[in-house]
Amino acid sequence: MTIHATLSTGRRRFLQWGAAGAGAMALPGLARAQDKPSEIIVRAWGGAWGESLKAGVADPFTAATGIDVRLDFTEDNEIKPKLWAAVDQGRIPPIHVNWDTTTNATISALRGVTVDLSDLPNLEGLLPLAKPTGLDGYPLVNTYAYVYVCAYRPEAFPDGPPQSWTVMLDPKFKGRVALYDDGIGFNPIAVIAGGGTFDDVPDNMEPGYAFYRKLKENQPLLGEDADFTTWFQNGEIDLACTISVNARAARQSGIAVEWTVPAEGCKVDTDGLWVPKGLPENEEYWAKQFVNFALSEQAQAKWCSLLGLPPVYPGLAPPEDLVGDPSYPTTPEDFARLVSVPSPVLVENQPIWFARFSEIFQG
Amino acid sequence: MPLTWRFLDTIEALVAALWPARWRGATGWAFLMPALLLVGVLVIGLGYMLEYSLHELNLATYRLRDEYALTNYATFLNRPVYGTVLWRTVLGSVLVTGITLLLAFPYAYVLVRTRVPWVRKALLVTLFLPFFIGQVVRAYGWLIVLGREGLVNSLLTGLGLPAQDLLFHFPAVIFGLVQYMLPFAILLIVPAITAIPEDMERASESLGAPWPATFRHVVLPMAWPGLIGAGVVVFTLTMTDFAMPEILGGGTTDFFASAIYDSFFQISNPGLGAALSMVLVTLGSLIVAAVFALAGPGTLGIRGART
C-alpha cells in the first residue's frame, strides 16, 4: 500500500468518524465546523513526548482536516496560570488544547476553566481509566496511564536490577540517585519504602518523610524529565525514579538505561487532555475535535505505542519491546501491583507533600 | 534662503508648536517621563503583588479567598525551610558580590590602563563575548565542562587522579554565578577607573608613594563609586537569580527565587508566591538602602548628595 493510499484511507475513516461525531454534537456544531481555524495550538511536553503526539495525533489530524497543529512546549506548570488568567480576564487563551497531568488538569477543572467534553463521541467504549475521578462529567479526559519506574544504569547493578527502592539509601550510590524535584511520582512509594503501607497515604506520611530524611544523607539530585536523561547520559547518576517514557527514550537513543518495578511497587498515574474556556466558538469546536481524534483507535494506537504507554482505548497490543513489562500495565492484576493514588487525594495533598519534601531536601 | 535653513526653520516651528516656550521648565520632566512610566508600571505590579499576598488560597477551588489575611506571611515565618533558603540566598549573594568585585577590579584596571592595543582588544572581546550567550546556555556549558565525564574530570583521570564531584553543590552555584556576574561588574567599574586621571597616579608616585600605596590611597577611593554601583547590581541580580542555582545546584541548593517559582507554578499558590516575592523585594531593598546609608549616595557620583 502506498503512503497516499494509507492517507486516503485514514482521511475517509476520519470523515466517517467526523460525520458521526458532528451528528451527535447537534446541528449548531455542524455550522461551526464549516469555519475551520488555520491552526490548533496544543501544549505538549518536548522530546519523545512531543514527537509521539506529532506523529500519532497531530499529523494525522492535519491530514484529515487540513488544520495545522502547532505544538507549544511551554512547561505544564507555567501554562496553567496563563490559562487561568486568560479565562478570568475574558481573554482568548493562548492554546486550544492542554496536554496535562491529570492532577494539574483536575486543579484547572476545580477552578472552572475547562470545557465539558462529555459530548465527544469517542468517549464511548473507552476503559474506565479515561474518566477523571472526583469530578462531574468530563472536564478533562485521561488518555493513557504511565508508571514512575526505577530506572538504573546496568553497569552499576552487575547482580541484576534493584529489588527494592531502599537501594537508594546505599552509601555506594551517594550523589548518584535522582528524584523529581517536587517528589511527584515517589511520595506514596517513599511511605512504603520507609516501612509504612499504602493505607497510610495520605493520613500518615511520616514513614515517607523518614525515608526522605535518610535519603537526603545520600545527597540525591532533584530534577525534571530532561535532567534525568542528561544525567544518565553524562554518567552523573546510577538510579532514578522517572517515568518509563523517559527511560525508554534514553535507551532508544543509545544510553545504557534499564528499568524495573521494585518490590514496593511504582506509582501509576494518568495524563489527559482538556480544552480551556474562552476560545472562539469555532476554535473550541475544533479543539474538541482534536481531543476526540486523540481518543480514536487510530490515534491511540500510534500515539501510545510511540510513548510506550497503555492507552485508554481497549484491546490495543503493547509495543513489542514492552510485552510483559511491569511498567506497561494492561490488566486489573497489573494495576494492582502498582500504586495508584486517586486524583482528588493528590490534588488535596500535593501542596502539603511538596512543602514537606522541600523542607527535608532544601532545609 | 538655502533649503537647509528653510528645513531647520520648519523643524523649529514644529517643535515650538508641539512644545511651547512656556513649557520649557518642564523639559527635564518630559525626558524623565519614560523612566517614570516604567517605574510606575513596576510600582503598580508591586501593588498587585502586595494585594495578592494578603489572600489565602482556597484548595477547593484553587482561587484566592476574598478575605484579607496574613496567612501567607505566617507560612513564611512558620516554615523554617524558607528561612534556610533565604539565608543561603543572602550568603550566596554576599560571596558572589565579594568574589566578583575582587576579580572584576584588576580586569577593569588593566583594560583601561593598558597601552598595548591587542591586550585591550582581547580583554574587550573576552568581556563582551559572554553577553552573546544566555545564562541557561552557559550553565549547561558548565555541566559539560565540570560533569562527571566532562572536560575537567577527563583531564584529572587522564593524569591518573580520581574524578571529582564538581557539580550540584553550593560552591558550584557560586562559581557559576561569579562567572555570570563578572562582565556586569567590569562594565560598571570601567567608567569609574576611566574617570581617574592617570596624572593622579603619576603625581602620587612622583611624591614617592609606592604603587600599592597609590592604589590604596588614590585609585581605590576614586573608583569607589564604580565599586559600590557594581556591588549593588551584582548583589541584587544574584539575590533574584533562578537559573544558576536551579541548574548547577542539583535541586537541593535552591535560592529564594526557586521558592517563589515553586509557589506560583508548582503548587499554584499565587498568594504565597506573592508574599515570598514581597519578602525578597523588601529584604533586597533594605540591604541596598543600608549600603547607601553606609557608603553614602555620593559614592555613586550623585551630584549634591551628602557623602
Side-chain angles (χ1 to χ4, degrees):
Chain A
M1 188 187 286
T2 64
I3 292 171
H4 178 75
T6 310
L7 285 177
S8 300
T9 310
R11 191 177 297 123
R12 278 197 298 276
R13 286 182 63 188
F14 180 84
L15 289 171
Q16 287 164 3
W17 153 83
M25 293 173 79
L27 282 174
L30 270 177
R32 289 195 298 274
Q34 305 305 314
D35 192 9
K36 286 183 183 177
S38 59
E39 68 171 8
I40 292 276
I41 304 169
V42 180
R43 195 220 70 84
W45 289 283
W49 298 85
E51 285 163 20
S52 69
L53 185 74
K54 184 175 185 305
V57 187
D59 287 350
F61 180 81
T62 301
T65 62
I67 300 172
D68 286 335
V69 177
R70 179 151 59 93
L71 300 185
D72 177 329
F73 295 116
T74 304
E75 221 264 326
D76 55 346
N77 284 318
E78 290 172 14
I79 200 77
K80 191 170 50 179
K82 289 182 184 174
L83 290 171
W84 293 1
V87 174
D88 286 353
Q89 294 164 8
R91 289 185 283 112
I92 295 175
I95 57 165
H96 295 91
V97 178
N98 197 8
W99 183 17
D100 209 351
T101 63
T102 298
T103 307
N104 267 347
T106 303
I107 291 172
S108 290
L110 286 172
R111 200 179 157 102
V113 299
T114 62
V115 167
D116 181 41
L117 303 172
S118 303
D119 54 359
L120 296 184
N122 284 345
L123 288 175
E124 200 177 325
L126 295 181
L127 295 173
L129 195 67
K131 173 82 175 75
T133 51
L135 297 167
D136 294 331
Y138 280 87
L140 61 120
V141 56
N142 295 324
T143 46
Y144 53 77
Y146 60 89
V147 176
Y148 291 91
V149 294
C150 175
Y152 63 96
R153 262 183 356 118
E155 194 185 346
F157 293 89
D159 300 331
Q163 299 299 309
S164 165
W165 285 104
T166 53
V167 73
M168 286 182 157
L169 307 177
D170 188 335
K172 189 169 68 173
F173 298 113
K174 190 169 187 175
R176 302 192 60 79
V177 171
L179 289 179
Y180 282 98
D181 58 9
D182 49 7
I184 196 168
F186 199 71
N187 289 319
I189 300 300
V191 172
I192 301 168
T197 66
F198 180 64
D199 292 337
D200 287 322
V201 180
D203 297 326
N204 176 27
M205 299 294 284
E206 194 45 47
Y209 301 143
F211 183 84
Y212 282 148
R213 280 190 283 272
K214 285 184 201 160
L215 182 57
K216 191 195 175 187
E217 290 167 22
N218 233 13
Q219 299 173 2
L221 301 187
L222 306 178
E224 301 282 345
D225 288 333
D227 295 320
F228 296 131
T229 310
T230 308
W231 291 337
F232 271 123
Q233 193 165 20
N234 295 342
E236 301 285 352
I237 55 172
D238 293 325
L239 189 70
C241 171
T242 187
I243 297 172
S244 60
V245 176
N246 302 320
R248 185 171 178 246
R251 189 172 69 180
Q252 285 172 342
S253 57
I255 302 170
V257 175
E258 297 291 338
W259 60 89
T260 185
V261 175
E264 298 89 349
C266 287
K267 182 170 175 266
V268 62
D269 218 327
T270 49
D271 283 340
L273 296 172
W274 59 276
V275 175
K277 285 181 180 171
L279 290 167
E281 206 171 357
N282 67 318
E283 293 181 26
E284 181 185 300
Y285 173 83
W286 284 103
K288 288 174 74 173
Q289 294 306 305
F290 180 88
V291 176
N292 196 37
F293 182 70
L295 300 172
S296 66
E297 181 182 3
Q298 173 197 350
Q300 282 269 293
K302 188 159 187 185
W303 182 23
C304 296
S305 165
L306 289 169
L307 282 171
L309 297 175
V312 291
Y313 194 94
L316 295 175
E320 277 181 23
D321 62 318
L322 294 174
V323 173
D325 192 304
S327 74
Y328 193 100
T330 50
T331 64
E333 293 75 33
D334 292 339
F335 277 98
R337 280 195 289 270
L338 300 167
V339 175
S340 174
V341 181
S343 287
V345 176
L346 285 176
V347 168
E348 195 182 332
N349 291 282
Q350 200 71 28
I352 302 162
W353 297 345
F354 178 70
R356 292 301 302 274
F357 184 87
S358 294
E359 272 169 26
I360 293 165
F361 286 106
Q362 297 292 338
Chain B
M1 189 185 289
L3 183 66
T4 49
W5 288 21
R6 272 183 284 166
F7 176 71
L8 289 172
D9 285 348
T10 309
I11 295 285
E12 204 169 299
L14 196 66
V15 170
L18 288 172
W19 195 256
R22 63 180 180 280
W23 293 359
R24 279 194 188 143
T27 303
W29 287 106
F31 280 114
L32 271 178
M33 198 49 73
L36 290 175
L37 280 174
L38 189 64
V39 172
V41 169
L42 288 175
V43 170
I44 291 168
L46 211 56
Y48 271 107
M49 292 287 260
L50 179 63
E51 216 275 330
Y52 281 4
S53 74
L54 298 171
H55 296 279
E56 189 187 358
L57 183 73
N58 180 352
L59 281 172
T61 59
Y62 269 84
R63 288 176 184 276
L64 296 179
R65 294 182 197 278
D66 289 337
E67 304 80 36
Y68 285 95
L70 292 171
T71 318
N72 295 316
Y73 291 97
T75 303
F76 164 71
L77 292 172
N78 294 334
R79 299 237 313 257
V81 63
Y82 289 128
T84 307
V85 175
L86 190 58
W87 166 243
R88 183 188 298 145
T89 306
V90 174
L91 178 68
S93 303
V94 170
L95 285 173
V96 168
T97 306
I99 298 169
T100 304
L101 292 182
L102 276 176
L103 295 173
F105 192 86
Y107 192 107
Y109 187 84
V110 173
L111 178 66
V112 173
R113 292 289 188 245
T114 182
R115 295 182 195 288
V116 186
W118 71 263
V119 172
R120 180 175 289 120
K121 280 178 193 161
L123 290 173
L124 279 170
V125 169
T126 316
L127 171 64
F128 283 105
L129 204 58
F131 283 110
F132 298 109
I133 307 164
Q135 188 181 185
V136 174
V137 177
R138 261 193 271 175
Y140 271 99
W142 286 121
L143 288 187
I144 295 165
V145 173
L146 302 176
R148 196 77 188 170
E149 294 176 3
L151 186 69
V152 175
N153 270 323
S154 297
L155 284 172
L156 287 175
T157 49
L159 293 168
L161 298 167
Q164 299 295 314
D165 287 324
L166 302 170
L167 286 172
F168 311 131
H169 40 54
F170 189 64
V173 174
I174 299 300
F175 174 81
L177 282 166
V178 167
Q179 194 269 339
Y180 177 64
M181 299 296 168
L182 198 56
F184 292 104
I186 294 168
L187 273 184
L188 287 159
I189 295 171
V190 160
I193 295 177
T194 309
I196 304 170
E198 222 173 331
D199 289 346
M200 297 287 280
E201 290 176 57
R202 285 202 204 99
S204 168
E205 286 171 20
S206 70
L207 289 169
W211 192 83
T214 300
F215 176 78
R216 188 179 158 203
H217 297 292
V218 177
V219 177
L220 206 54
M222 293 185 81
W224 200 239
L227 282 168
I228 293 293
V232 167
V233 168
V234 170
F235 183 83
T236 49
L237 284 178
T238 307
M239 278 273 281
T240 53
D241 199 80
F242 174 79
M244 283 292 176
E246 196 75 19
I247 297 170
L248 298 183
T252 50
T253 45
D254 283 358
F255 275 24
F256 209 63
S258 296
I260 295 170
Y261 176 93
D262 289 342
S263 301
F264 275 112
F265 299 108
Q266 297 272 31
I267 57 171
S268 306
N269 189 342
L272 181 60
L276 298 181
S277 303
M278 293 308 297
V279 168
L280 187 62
V281 167
T282 306
L283 183 67
S285 304
L286 285 174
I287 292 173
V288 171
V291 169
F292 283 155
L294 288 172
T299 53
L300 290 180
I302 299 170
R303 196 173 53 180
R306 202 158 46 87
T307 55

